[in-house]
Amino acid sequence: MVNILNINLLLFVSSLNQEPTEENTQALVKTVESNFRPQVGDIIDDPGFDSNFHNGYEVAKVTINYTSNECFVSLVPLAIEVEEISVEDYINRLKTHGWSIQSR
């Protein structure tokens, strides 16, 4: 029997060119179901990621909770230096592709 896990992808996005505010500095999460889990060093791709910045995020940390059948995957933080689109627009793009702002 293959065990399906809820994979919670965790991503921190901020700007290096702006003073941090609630609008331009966010922790986001996206939950997907999968029968395999990412490992540290894997690259995660998602339609919400903007190719002007990169083609995926590297997995930095994986935490598994077998009691709740969940896996928490921390992705390398994205600090945008070259802003071809604003951080706020990038966060909105992520939200339109299933990412949500993590409550603080």
Side-chain angles (χ1 to χ4, degrees):
M1 181 170 108
V2 176
N3 193 20
I4 302 294
L5 287 173
N6 285 325
I7 308 291
N8 300 291
L9 303 172
L10 307 168
L11 175 63
F12 182 77
V13 178
S14 68
S15 171
L16 295 178
N17 299 321
Q18 300 174 27
E19 188 68 30
T21 66
E22 191 170 319
E23 290 77 31
N24 69 18
T25 304
Q26 292 292 342
L28 294 107
V29 64
K30 182 175 185 176
T31 302
V32 296
E33 291 184 342
S34 180
N35 61 352
F36 64 92
R37 69 171 179 86
Q39 296 181 337
V40 173
D42 285 352
I43 304 296
I44 304 294
D45 192 16
D46 185 88
F49 299 160
D50 191 300
S51 62
N52 288 319
F53 299 111
H54 54 79
N55 292 319
Y57 288 93
E58 184 175 350
V59 174
K61 180 180 174 183
V62 177
T63 304
I64 301 169
N65 183 326
Y66 289 109
T67 302
S68 64
N69 203 35
E70 290 186 295
C71 178
F72 297 89
V73 179
S74 297
L75 304 176
V76 172
L78 175 66
I80 298 174
E81 295 176 30
V82 178
E83 294 183 22
E84 295 179 17
I85 63 172
S86 71
V87 174
E88 295 86 356
D89 287 345
Y90 191 58
I91 290 169
N92 286 330
R93 175 188 169 102
L94 288 166
K95 289 167 51 179
T96 62
H97 288 279
W99 292 82
S100 58
I101 293 176
Q102 179 77 13
S103 60
R104 296 177 192 234

